[in-house]
Amino acid sequence: MGVTDDDDRLLLRAGRATGPGYAVDVTPERAGWRYSGLRVVELEPGATREIRTGADEVLVVPLAGGCTVEVDGATHWLTGRPDVFTAVTDHLYVPIGTTFTLRSAGGGRFALATARAERRLPVTYRGPTRCGSRCVARVRRRGR
């Protein structure tokens, strides 16, 4: 069974991002979804990237490396992690109608999980969750 043209509707292969400067760019419209999307930004050491949220709220999640996020006159440091297999990471919520700047001293790869929203909430930083085996046990008890 081979890959068909229909598979290309559901599978976005590496290097096929449509947004300039994104390694991955999945909008709700492109995916056929109503609300959520995903963009991945890759920054070289010392690089910056200005991003406008528009009608989407954004969760900035370091995949590899750390960064600062400048938003609403404040600078938030995301410690990040070496890669997605090494550790749980911190993240930053950025509301709709906002322009923010990602800056990475050492370079990195950062996921921008998006969701359409109507209400503007405050910028919120969350540190990594470090509950280890207790979280796994809790999930297993719930049958998930």
Side-chain angles (χ1 to χ4, degrees):
M1 180 182 226
V3 176
T4 67
D5 288 338
D6 285 341
D7 294 330
D8 284 342
R9 273 186 326 103
L10 305 175
L11 173 66
L12 299 175
R13 298 184 190 284
R16 295 195 47 199
T18 58
Y22 293 107
V24 173
D25 184 17
V26 182
T27 64
E29 295 79 16
R30 182 169 186 202
W33 303 329
R34 284 193 201 167
Y35 304 106
S36 60
L38 177 68
R39 291 182 168 151
V40 175
V41 175
E42 294 177 339
L43 294 177
E44 296 295 322
T48 63
R49 175 76 189 266
E50 185 176 275
I51 298 164
R52 290 180 175 80
T53 64
D56 295 334
E57 55 190 2
V58 175
L59 194 64
V60 180
V61 181
L63 300 174
C67 66
T68 58
V69 181
E70 297 170 11
V71 58
D72 288 346
T75 300
H76 304 271
W77 173 253
L78 297 178
T79 304
R81 55 192 169 179
D83 59 63
V84 296
F85 300 106
T86 303
V88 175
T89 191
D90 48 356
H91 56 275
L92 185 75
Y93 169 83
V94 181
I96 62 173
T98 304
T99 298
F100 66 96
T101 302
L102 287 178
R103 182 179 324 274
S104 182
R109 187 172 168 91
F110 307 95
L112 307 175
T114 65
R116 295 287 150 84
E118 296 176 1
R119 186 170 52 131
R120 183 181 166 94
L121 300 172
V123 174
T124 307
Y125 169 83
R126 294 281 189 247
T129 302
R130 300 193 188 282
C131 64
S133 61
R134 290 181 316 208
C135 289
V136 173
R138 217 174 311 153
V139 168
R140 285 187 183 144
R141 280 196 304 269
R142 291 182 184 160
R144 293 183 189 167

